[in-house]
């Protein structure tokens, strides 16, 4: 009984993951992340992703703040933020967020304010999408873990 | 007598203990790596397991992921989200880490800065990480000395492999240390660049335009980076710290006090247009690190660079300007085989005249003290040479001169010192090798030596000049790199002061050096009153008895009496040296029974180290031993002179800053000689 539920949930998860991969939201780095989860750190993926959300929101706030400066936007600082954002996004496999960051950085290096603003909008959008989808994923996984009576077994 | 001996013993033991302590420190820093690399026992089945990795990244997401990946590799991971904290950790736990993984962009400290500091202070392999994989960024990391540059996202496979950098680094060090000679060819291309740089600074006046052009190119290339002490990473000095500039810097630091010297104040005091606070700050950092290194005993490896500096350009110049005469004289005397002579000439002639000129005629660069000594050394040589070898006195004179010129040149290269900071280690050999010119000279000398050895031994006396030189060099360490220790000492009081600050460090250096030396017994002593010559005499005498032991004695000003025992001629020299308190003279060992005497005397006078640093020139002594009785009259002299040249250059660097530094360098060159000879 329980096992059936777990199987169904697992199928849901896989479907969702496949969708995210298909959309280019995630890449194989996310699978690496999942493989890093083991007995010693059973919640590794969600732990890291939560750190990522936390950091990213800070970065997004900072970026918006920098771009909203009336007189002069500190593009150098923006570049540093974007670099970090790129680093963390690529590390968890958030491919689309990362790609937007690249575009954003290019715009900021050209001190293209309009381009930066557009990129920021896009970035926020991509980020929200990613966050929602990952939350969904984690919820399914949690249910599955409950259903299986096991906490966070290896997905594969 | 017995009492004296006891005292002597005690002094020796103290010296020994201090060395031991420093030696321990050195070992400690490399112990971790040694665990993996050391001997057969080291390489266990699970080798990379337990590799101690420090990860620094302000991005906690990456930090967490990398940490987990490293855990999976069974590495021992320490994470840190702030560069300053990481630096503190690294400083507190020397030897606590094998490799450092660092992000490039961090708010509190640029990753490059951290990289530099780590490279300078602990010489650990540093791997940079960044999402920015553009060539420019990667190039910058490599120029700063990163041994690898990982582009985020970082994959587990990449991290699995990072142990290779630990091994490679260690391995390279060992190789440098062991096969100094064989490395020449490999290192040459790299060095050439450096040499050109140096040359530009040297010839500033004559070839001002060229040199400046070169330098400005370098500036553009790497904005604001420090030079790396590690020879394996090719970094270029951004600001050329000429001798003058460095002197200004040192005097500013002295004025402020080392502890209170901050870049801003130094900059104000120096009042040099075009110099930025950053330049001063980085130089100050290197300066401090250098001092620290001297005192802390760093395992070398980087010395190679310093050697190169001294290297080719200057030594050749010297020879060219004054050396020809000498060479010919030698040839005439039949001591130099025709081939070598031809080779030497080719070397000399190949050099642009411009180089020669600056070396000779730029007094401004030299310290005031140096200027005086220039002439003096010749005199010294004369005194030594004449009594010993009557016929060849001319030769001796010439050599000393050439040596001097070399020193002068080196003095001008204040900038080099920065590079050489790292280079306390054994790698000197490599450095020497890298300089093509110097190598040639060395080879020639070696050949000469060998030939001479074959010939019936001329006299023990021939040996004497060598020791004296070595001694001279050592005194130079005090203040002036020049060989004529006495004159120098007298001439440069200011330098003495500077030395005082350095002195503590110097002791450590010796200890470091001593392990390197091959001699069975190395006693390193410091002479507060530089009677380098006297000590040299002692060596010469003892040499005939050649035993493997090298004893360096530390002599106080009082030592003169001890010296008298050794040789009357030398005593005279000792007198020449006005008792300058701070001057330190190193005495290389005496080998035979005589050596025993020497030791006793030395220790008696000096209890422990006088406080001023000195180095241990033992290498020279070793060389002499190798060809123990054989007379290397001219040959030996040459070899020594070469060694001096090499040493001098480094000394110059230090001379400005720290006198202590010179000794170390000298030792290395001597090693080079040694290796050649042994072969």
């Amino acid at each position: 009984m329980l096992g059936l539920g777990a199987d169904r949930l697992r199928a849901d998860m896989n479907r969702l993951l496949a969708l995210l991969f298909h959309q280019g939201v995630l890449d194989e780095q996310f699978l690496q992340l999942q493989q890093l989860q083991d007995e010693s750190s059973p919640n590794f993926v969600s732990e890291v992703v939560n750190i990522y959300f936390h950091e990213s929101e800070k970065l997004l706030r900072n970026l918006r703040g920098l771009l909203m400066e009336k007189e002069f936007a500190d593009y150098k600082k923006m570049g540093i933020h974007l670099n970090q954002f790129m680093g963390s996004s690529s590390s968890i496999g958030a491919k689309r967020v990362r790609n937007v960051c690249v575009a954003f950085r290019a715009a900021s290096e050209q001190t293209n304010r309009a381009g930066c603003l557009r990129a920021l909008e896009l970035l926020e959008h991509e980020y929200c999408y990613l966050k929602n989808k990952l939350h969904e994923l984690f919820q399914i996984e949690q249910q599955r873990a409950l259903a299986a009576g096991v906490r966070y077994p290896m997905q594969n | 007598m017995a009492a004296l001996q006891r005292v002597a013993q005690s002094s020796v033991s103290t010296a020994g203990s201090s060395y031991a302590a420093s030696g321990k420190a050195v070992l400690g820093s490399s112990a971790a790596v040694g665990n993996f690399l050391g001997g057969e026992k080291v390489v266990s089945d699970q080798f990379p397991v337990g590799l101690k990795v420090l990860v620094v990244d302000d991005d906690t997401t990456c930090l967490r992921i990398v940490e987990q990946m490293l855990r999976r590799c069974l590495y021992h991971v320490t994470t840190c989200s702030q560069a300053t904290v990481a630096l503190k950790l690294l400083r507190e736990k020397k030897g606590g880490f094998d490799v450092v993984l660092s992000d490039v962009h961090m708010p509190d400290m640029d990753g490059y800065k951290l990289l530099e500091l780590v490279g300078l202070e602990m010489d650990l392999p540093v791997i940079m990480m960044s999402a920015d994989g553009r060539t420019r960024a990667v190039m910058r990391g490599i120029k700063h000395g990163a041994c690898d540059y990982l582009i985020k996202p970082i994959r587990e496979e990449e991290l699995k492999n990072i142990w290779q950098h630990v091994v490679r680094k260690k391995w390279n060090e060992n190789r440098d240390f062991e096969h100094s000679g064989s490395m020449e060819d490999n290192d040459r291309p790299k060095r050439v660049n450096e040499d050109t740089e140096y040359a530009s600074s040297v010839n500033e006046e004559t070839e001002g335009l060229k040199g400046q052009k070169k330098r400005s190119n370098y500036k553009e290339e790497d904005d604001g980076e420090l030079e790396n002490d590690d020879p394996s990473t090719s970094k270029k000095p951004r600001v050329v710290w000429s001798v003058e500039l460095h002197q200004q810097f040192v005097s500013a630091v002295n004025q402020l006090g080392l502890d209170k010297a901050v870049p801003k104040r130094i900059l104000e005091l120096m009042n040099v247009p075009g110099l930025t606070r950053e330049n001063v700050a980085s130089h100050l950092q290197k300066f401090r690190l250098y001092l620290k290194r001297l005192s802390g005993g760093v395992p070398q490896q980087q010395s190679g660079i310093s050697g190169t500096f001294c290297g080719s350009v200057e030594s050749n110049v010297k020879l060219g300007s004054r050396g020809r005469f000498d060479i010919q004289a030698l040839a005439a005397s039949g001591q130099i085989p025709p081939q070598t002579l031809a080779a030497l000439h080719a070397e000399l002639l190949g050099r642009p005249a411009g180089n020669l000129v600056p070396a000779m005629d730029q007094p401004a660069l030299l310290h005031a003290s140096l200027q005086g000594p220039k002439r003096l050394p010749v005199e010294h040589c004369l005194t030594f040479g004449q009594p010993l070898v009557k016929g060849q006195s001319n030769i001796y004179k010439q050599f000393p001169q050439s040596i001097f010129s070399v020193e002068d040149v080196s003095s001008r290269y204040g900038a080099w010192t920065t590079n050489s900071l790292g280079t306390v280690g054994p790698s000197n050999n490599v450095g020497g090798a890298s300089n093509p010119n110097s190598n040639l000279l060395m080879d020639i000398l070696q050949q000469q030596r060998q030939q001479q050895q074959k010939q019936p031994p001329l006299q023990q006396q021939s040996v004497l000049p060598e020791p004296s030189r070595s001694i001279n060099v050592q005194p130079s360490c005090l203040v002036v790199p020049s060989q004529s220790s006495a004159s120098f000492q007298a001439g440069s009081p200011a330098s003495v002061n500077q030395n005082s600050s350095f002195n503590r460090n110097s002791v450590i250096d010796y200890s470091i050096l001593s392990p390197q030396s091959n001699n069975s017994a190395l006693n390193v002593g410091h002479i507060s009153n530089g009677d380098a010559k006297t000590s040299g005499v002692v060596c010469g005498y003892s040499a005939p008895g050649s035993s493997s032991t090298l004893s360096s004695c530390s002599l106080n000003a009082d030592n003169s009496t001890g010296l008298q025992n050794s040789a009357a001629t030398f005593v005279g020299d000792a007198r020449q040296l006005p008792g300058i308190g701070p001057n330190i003279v190193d005495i290389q060992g005496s080998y035979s029974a005589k050596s025993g005497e020497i030791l006793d005397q030395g220790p008696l006078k000096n209890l422990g180290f006088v406080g001023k640093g000195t180095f241990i020139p033992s290498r020279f002594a070793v060389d002499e031993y190798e060809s123990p009785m054989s007379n290397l009259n001219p040959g030996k002299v040459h070899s020594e002179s070469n060694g001096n040249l090499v040493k001098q250059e480094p000394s110059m660097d230090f001379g400005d800053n720290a006198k202590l530094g010179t000794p170390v360098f000298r030792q290395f060159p001597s090693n080079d000689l040694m290796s050649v000879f042994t072969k």
Side-chain angles (χ1 to χ4, degrees):
Chain A
M1 292 286 285
L2 282 176
L4 278 178
D7 283 348
R8 191 172 47 79
L9 288 167
R10 173 179 285 259
D12 284 351
M13 262 184 64
N14 286 341
R15 246 197 315 278
L16 180 55
L17 267 179
L19 174 72
L20 292 177
F21 271 80
H22 183 69
Q23 292 175 336
V25 174
L26 292 179
D27 63 18
E28 69 280 353
Q29 187 68 23
F30 188 77
L31 298 180
Q32 277 235 347
L33 209 61
Q34 290 184 322
Q35 282 163 17
L36 283 173
Q37 182 164 288
D38 55 20
E39 320 77 54
S40 68
S41 49
N43 294 316
F44 180 71
V45 176
S46 65
E47 181 196 336
V48 168
V49 169
N50 280 323
I51 295 173
Y52 169 74
F53 288 154
H54 184 248
E55 293 271 321
S56 301
E57 271 148 39
K58 230 168 32 188
L59 286 170
L60 283 171
R61 269 200 308 275
N62 287 341
L63 284 170
R64 184 159 277 283
L66 284 170
L67 268 176
M68 290 303 122
E69 301 253 342
K70 289 257 159 42
E71 302 271 306
F72 161 81
D74 187 347
Y75 288 105
K76 189 163 177 251
K77 204 164 184 183
M78 220 180 282
I80 292 174
H81 283 322
L82 285 168
N83 245 321
Q84 187 183 333
F85 208 169
M86 274 173 58
S88 55
S89 300
S90 61
S91 294
I92 68 155
K95 189 174 171 188
R96 258 161 61 174
V97 172
R98 182 192 168 275
N99 288 342
V100 177
C101 282
V102 173
F104 196 162
R105 188 179 65 180
S108 79
E109 277 170 359
Q110 294 162 1
T111 63
N112 176 356
R113 195 190 188 103
C116 285
L117 278 170
R118 259 200 315 276
L120 180 62
E121 299 278 326
L122 196 54
L123 189 59
E124 285 170 338
H125 174 262
E126 284 297 340
Y127 171 74
C128 283
Y129 185 77
L130 173 78
K131 187 176 179 181
N132 288 334
K133 289 298 175 191
L134 285 180
H135 267 307
E136 201 180 320
L137 191 71
F138 289 144
Q139 269 177 354
I140 300 175
E141 181 169 358
Q142 215 158 8
Q143 288 171 11
R144 184 193 65 126
L146 285 173
V150 181
R151 285 193 61 200
Y152 295 104
M154 295 291 288
Q155 281 88 351
N156 313 335
Chain B
M1 194 58 198
L4 287 181
Q5 280 182 350
R6 236 174 279 138
V7 177
Q9 281 175 357
S10 68
S11 72
V12 171
S13 69
T14 53
S17 65
S18 69
Y19 286 124
S22 64
K24 224 179 272 166
V26 175
L27 287 178
S29 63
S30 60
V33 177
N35 288 338
F36 299 108
L37 312 167
E40 308 77 49
K41 61 182 176 186
V42 174
V43 186
S44 63
D45 297 339
Q46 28 174 303
F47 152 54
V49 171
L51 193 82
K52 287 168 287 187
V53 187
L54 177 66
V55 189
V56 196
D57 197 334
D58 63 310
D59 178 359
T60 42
T61 313
C62 290
L63 194 63
R64 183 70 186 86
I65 294 173
V66 170
E67 179 192 7
Q68 183 69 12
M69 285 178 173
L70 289 168
R71 287 244 161 85
R72 294 274 289 235
C73 301
L74 299 176
Y75 294 157
H76 186 273
V77 195
T78 309
T79 59
C80 189
S81 61
Q82 292 176 344
T84 47
V85 176
L87 203 55
K88 202 167 140 242
L89 265 177
L90 284 164
R91 284 174 174 153
E92 280 170 3
K93 297 171 63 179
K94 295 235 170 183
F97 301 101
D98 298 320
V99 62
V100 180
L101 275 165
S102 168
D103 189 26
V104 171
H105 298 289
M106 288 178 284
D108 57 337
M109 182 192 286
D110 193 300
Y112 297 122
K113 191 79 199 161
L114 178 68
L115 172 59
E116 265 166 19
L117 291 173
V118 171
L120 280 171
E121 289 182 43
M122 21 258 172
D123 196 42
L124 287 174
V126 179
I127 299 167
M128 303 297 283
M129 315 179 284
S130 177
D132 189 350
R134 289 173 293 188
T135 311
R136 188 160 44 96
V138 179
M139 190 66 84
R140 218 175 146 208
I142 289 174
K143 276 190 183 167
H144 278 80
C147 65
D148 203 350
Y149 192 105
L150 303 179
I151 296 165
K152 292 176 182 175
I154 289 162
R155 299 167 56 82
E156 200 176 340
E157 294 79 45
E158 294 173 310
L159 291 178
K160 237 175 223 161
N161 226 6
I162 60 171
W163 59 265
Q164 66 179 309
H165 300 293
V166 180
V167 176
R168 190 175 293 130
K169 186 136 193 142
K170 188 72 186 169
W171 190 72
N172 281 338
E173 286 170 14
N174 290 339
R175 193 180 51 172
D176 291 356
F177 185 70
E178 289 164 14
H179 316 281
S180 58
S182 62
M183 295 280 290
E184 302 175 14
D185 293 337
N186 300 334
D187 289 351
R188 237 174 241 185
K190 234 187 260 162
R191 254 77 209 228
V192 171
N193 295 334
E194 291 168 353
D195 287 344
T196 56
E197 243 185 60
Y198 286 107
S200 68
S201 70
V202 173
N203 304 333
E204 226 170 291
E205 312 216 337
T206 52
E207 314 181 277
L209 288 176
K210 237 195 240 167
Q212 281 171 5
K213 202 172 159 194
K214 274 181 196 165
R215 244 180 295 149
S216 62
N217 286 342
Y218 281 114
K219 278 184 199 167
E220 287 168 11
E221 253 177 51
D222 30 17
D223 21 322
E225 345 172 331
L226 300 177
E227 305 95 301
N228 188 4
D229 45 354
D230 188 338
S232 65
T233 66
S234 61
K235 289 211 266 167
K236 274 96 193 185
R238 175 203 198 188
V239 172
V240 176
W241 283 83
S242 67
V243 173
E244 298 159 287
L245 203 55
H246 185 73
Q247 264 188 297
Q248 279 182 300
F249 170 82
V250 170
S251 64
V253 171
N254 285 343
Q255 200 175 324
L256 293 167
L258 188 59
D259 295 333
K260 289 172 188 160
V262 291
K264 199 178 162 202
R265 296 276 295 130
I266 296 172
L267 188 61
E268 287 169 11
L269 280 172
M270 287 176 73
N271 192 24
V272 174
L275 200 64
T276 66
R277 199 196 69 85
E278 285 72 22
N279 293 337
V280 175
S282 68
H283 194 66
L284 178 65
Q285 202 148 38
K286 279 182 273 186
F287 187 68
R288 286 208 164 115
L289 286 170
Y290 167 66
L291 295 183
K292 208 196 239 170
R293 252 192 203 208
L294 286 185
S295 61
V298 178
Q300 79 290 14
Q301 314 110 354
Q302 299 113 351
S303 57
I305 294 183
S306 60
T308 53
F309 300 154
C310 12
S312 43
V313 177
E314 292 101 5
S315 60
N316 295 330
V317 172
K318 299 167 184 177
L319 288 175
S321 58
R322 297 173 183 176
R324 289 180 192 173
F325 221 132
D326 306 343
I327 295 169
Q328 289 172 354
L330 291 173
S333 65
Q335 295 175 354
I336 301 184
Q339 323 83 277
T340 51
L341 183 61
L344 266 181
H345 271 301
E347 267 280 308
L348 297 174
L349 293 173
R351 292 267 145 193
N355 294 337
L356 298 176
V357 175
M360 309 305 295
D361 299 342
Q362 295 177 350
L365 295 176
L366 303 175
H367 300 263
S369 61
L370 285 175
Q371 295 174 355
K374 266 189 185 175
R375 314 295 152 177
L376 291 175
V378 176
E379 296 175 3
H380 272 301
C381 299
L382 288 172
T383 57
F384 283 100
Q386 290 177 351
L388 299 176
V389 183
K390 294 168 186 175
Q392 300 165 352
S393 60
N394 297 332
I395 295 172
Y396 285 105
K397 290 177 183 178
Q398 293 170 357
F399 276 104
Q401 290 178 355
S402 63
I403 292 167
F404 244 149
S405 62
V406 175
E407 292 172 352
D408 296 345
V409 176
S410 60
S411 64
R412 292 171 191 171
Y413 295 84
W416 298 91
T417 34
T418 54
N419 299 330
S420 55
L421 294 178
T423 60
V424 175
S427 53
N428 307 332
N429 301 336
V430 175
S434 61
N435 290 336
N437 298 330
S438 61
N439 295 334
L440 291 174
L441 291 174
M442 300 281 295
D443 295 341
I444 295 170
L445 292 174
Q446 295 170 357
Q447 292 176 1
Q448 291 176 356
R449 252 203 187 179
Q450 293 172 355
Q451 292 177 356
Q452 290 176 358
Q453 290 178 355
K454 292 174 186 172
Q455 298 171 357
L458 296 175
Q459 302 129 351
Q460 299 169 353
Q461 295 171 353
S462 63
V463 176
L464 289 173
E466 296 174 354
S468 63
R469 287 185 182 181
S470 64
I471 293 171
N472 294 337
V473 174
Q474 296 168 352
S476 63
C477 301
L478 300 174
V479 176
V480 182
S482 67
Q483 299 162 349
S484 62
S485 59
S487 61
F488 280 109
Q489 296 170 354
S492 57
S495 59
V496 172
N497 297 337
Q498 296 173 358
N499 294 335
S500 62
S501 62
F502 296 90
N503 293 336
R504 33 184 178 164
N505 304 331
S506 61
V507 174
I508 294 173
D509 294 345
Y510 288 103
S511 61
I512 297 170
L513 295 170
S514 58
Q516 299 172 354
S517 66
N518 302 329
N519 305 330
S520 58
L522 289 178
N523 301 330
V524 178
H526 309 277
I527 301 173
S528 59
N529 299 338
D531 293 350
K533 297 177 179 181
T534 54
S535 61
V537 174
V538 174
C539 295
Y541 286 106
S542 59
S546 64
S547 35
S548 59
T549 60
L550 292 178
S551 61
S552 56
C553 305
S554 57
L555 297 180
N556 296 333
D558 306 338
N559 297 340
S560 58
T561 58
L563 295 173
Q564 293 172 0
N565 299 336
S566 59
T569 54
F570 292 89
V571 173
D573 296 339
R575 289 174 190 165
Q576 291 175 356
L577 305 172
I580 299 169
N583 298 340
I584 301 166
V585 179
D586 303 341
I587 300 172
Q588 282 71 16
S590 48
Y591 306 68
S592 55
K594 293 178 180 180
S595 64
E597 296 174 6
I598 294 165
L599 287 174
D600 294 347
Q601 295 171 357
L604 294 174
K605 309 206 169 162
N606 302 335
L607 301 179
F609 302 89
V610 176
K612 308 300 166 130
T614 351
F615 6 70
I616 301 161
S618 51
R619 307 275 164 115
F620 272 105
V622 174
D623 294 346
E624 297 169 4
Y625 291 109
E626 293 176 354
S627 52
M629 319 308 268
S630 67
N631 309 320
L632 312 176
N633 302 337
K636 287 181 179 181
V637 173
H638 293 294
S639 62
E640 291 174 354
S641 64
N642 294 336
N644 291 339
L645 294 175
V646 175
K647 295 172 179 181
Q648 290 170 356
E649 294 172 355
S651 65
M652 298 303 289
D653 302 352
F654 293 95
D656 304 341
N657 312 331
K659 290 124 193 209
L660 298 177
T662 33
V664 175
F665 287 95
R666 293 173 181 176
Q667 295 173 353
F668 288 114
S670 60
N671 295 334
D672 296 342
L673 294 175
M674 293 290 293
S675 63
V676 176
F677 286 108
T678 49
K679 288 176 186 172

